[in-house]
């Protein structure tokens, strides 16, 4: 879970065609390959419509696929997992796996704010697919979702998960949780609750670590190229932005040393 969202102007999300990014749930082909299928979907609007928790939390889920092979992965299916499967199938793709950024219920399902979210467990009841998480999240995800650890696939930093012809690199970015991870592929960075367009994830939940968050943020800030950052929540005016813009404007990337970070974020 990130920090609770501020009041944000609800605007339509525009497609950044020059980057091959998607908006408002639109299917957009990447510039590097017309095979790539990618959708950014807002909870409570594009799926889980009418769910008060999904609407309040403003989570993003993502679909990543290969339009030639018809394979598709879903990122963080916490709400109305069946809706996400149906969206992929409606676009002619079949779900072949789950990528989870971290174990919080608003990303994988579980009990939150007095509600139980079906999440990954509900999805696995519809279709049997691997669930890819960081190895350090195995026990956390199992505890939150009730899924047996044997049904989860743990990964290390730098591992890659393939969907058709595309490789997605898994980046271990602890801080928000011990096993938080981001996904890097085709000039896109799905950053979960590690890095938002504005701000970053909280570190005061169980397993959070402020010093680790600083190191993870510096690691992401120094990635080569200029991938578009796709966050786990819509807490900013724009739903995504190039890393260069995030580096320039996001206040959590201003501290360059751990001492500066401690002064900036004393908690």
């Amino acid at each position: 879970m990130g920090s609770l969202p501020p009041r944000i102007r609800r605007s339509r999300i525009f497609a950044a065609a020059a980057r091959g990014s998607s908006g408002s749930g639109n299917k957009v082909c990447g510039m590097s390959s017309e095979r790539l299928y990618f959708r950014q979907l807002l909870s409570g609007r594009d799926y889980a419509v009418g769910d008060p928790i999904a609407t309040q939390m403003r989570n993003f889920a993502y679909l990543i696929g290969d339009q030639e092979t018809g394979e598709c992965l879903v990122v963080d299916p916490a709400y109305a997992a069946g809706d996400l499967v149906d969206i992929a199938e409606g676009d002619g793709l079949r779900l072949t796996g789950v990528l989870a950024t971290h174990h919080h219920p608003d990303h994988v399902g579980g009990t939150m704010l007095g509600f139980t979210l079906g999440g990954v467990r509900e999805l696995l009841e519809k279709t049997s697919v691997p669930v890819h998480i960081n190895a350090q999240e195995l026990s956390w995800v199992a505890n939150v979702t009730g899924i047996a650890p044997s049904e989860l696939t743990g990964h290390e930093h730098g591992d890659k998960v393939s969907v058709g012809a595309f490789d997605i690199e898994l980046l271990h970015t602890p801080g928000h949780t011990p096993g938080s991870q981001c996904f890097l592929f085709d000039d896109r960075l799905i950053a979960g609750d590690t890095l938002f367009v504005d701000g970053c994830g909280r570190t005061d939940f169980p397993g959070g670590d402020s010093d680790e968050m600083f190191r993870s943020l510096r690691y992401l800030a120094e990635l080569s190229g200029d991938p578009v950052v796709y966050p786990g929540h819509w807490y900013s005016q724009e739903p995504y932005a190039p890393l260069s813009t995030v580096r320039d404007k996001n206040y959590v990337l201003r501290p360059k040393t751990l001492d500066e970070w401690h002064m900036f974020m004393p908690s």
Side-chain angles (χ1 to χ4, degrees):
M1 291 177 283
S3 57
L4 287 177
R7 181 175 294 274
I8 304 170
R9 174 179 57 85
R10 283 185 176 246
S11 60
R12 294 184 63 85
I13 306 175
F14 294 97
R19 282 280 174 187
S21 303
S22 69
S24 193
N26 292 329
K27 178 175 64 176
V28 180
C29 299
M31 297 294 288
S32 62
S33 173
E34 292 185 355
R35 292 176 62 166
L36 180 66
Y37 166 94
F38 180 69
R39 293 187 70 165
Q40 180 189 49
L41 300 161
L42 181 65
S43 66
R45 186 197 65 186
D46 301 322
Y47 68 105
V49 176
D51 183 323
I53 301 302
T55 302
Q56 175 185 349
M57 297 301 294
R58 298 178 68 80
N59 285 89
F60 285 122
Y62 296 91
L63 296 174
I64 310 167
D66 182 326
Q67 297 190 101
E68 284 194 19
T69 67
E71 299 168 81
C72 184
L73 301 175
V74 61
V75 179
D76 288 355
Y79 313 96
D83 288 1
L84 296 169
V85 174
D86 291 345
I87 289 169
E89 291 180 348
D91 287 339
L93 289 93
R94 67 186 184 281
L95 195 68
T96 58
V98 175
L99 296 172
T101 59
H102 62 289
H103 73 266
H104 287 157
D106 58 322
H107 293 263
V108 295
T111 299
M112 181 180 68
L113 303 177
F115 292 82
T116 297
L117 312 178
V120 176
R121 185 170 184 174
E122 177 183 301
L123 187 148
L124 293 179
E125 292 173 356
K126 290 179 64 74
T127 180
S128 179
V129 296
V131 179
H132 302 284
I133 62 176
N134 183 269
Q136 293 194 38
E137 293 284 278
L138 279 169
S139 61
W140 296 85
V141 171
N143 182 59
V144 167
T145 64
I147 298 170
S150 59
E151 294 184 74
L152 304 170
T153 302
H155 291 275
E156 303 297 332
H157 176 76
D159 284 358
K160 294 182 179 179
V161 172
S162 297
V163 56
F166 300 96
D167 288 335
I168 300 166
E169 186 174 5
L170 311 186
L171 308 179
H172 182 207
T173 54
H176 185 58
T177 70
S180 287
Q181 61 179 353
C182 301
F183 310 122
L184 183 63
F185 67 102
D186 197 67
D187 293 327
R188 294 167 171 84
L189 176 69
I190 295 179
D193 284 7
T194 299
L195 177 63
F196 303 133
V197 173
D198 291 331
C200 65
R202 295 170 58 165
T203 60
D204 58 342
F205 292 126
D209 187 310
S210 180
D211 287 5
E212 289 278 42
M213 176 63 87
F214 168 76
R215 287 186 278 270
S216 292
L217 291 174
R218 294 316 311 163
Y219 170 73
L220 294 179
E222 294 165 9
L223 288 174
S224 61
D226 193 19
V228 175
V229 176
Y230 289 91
H233 294 264
W234 192 0
Y235 289 170
S236 54
Q237 181 172 343
E238 298 302 325
Y240 50 81
L243 181 58
S244 58
T245 299
V246 177
R247 272 196 298 257
D248 290 342
K249 296 184 177 180
N250 192 331
Y251 64 94
V252 300
L253 298 183
R254 292 173 190 165
K256 300 299 191 294
T257 68
L258 194 55
D259 285 343
E260 290 179 359
W261 176 256
H262 288 159
M263 293 177 63
F264 188 69
M265 305 283 278
S267 62

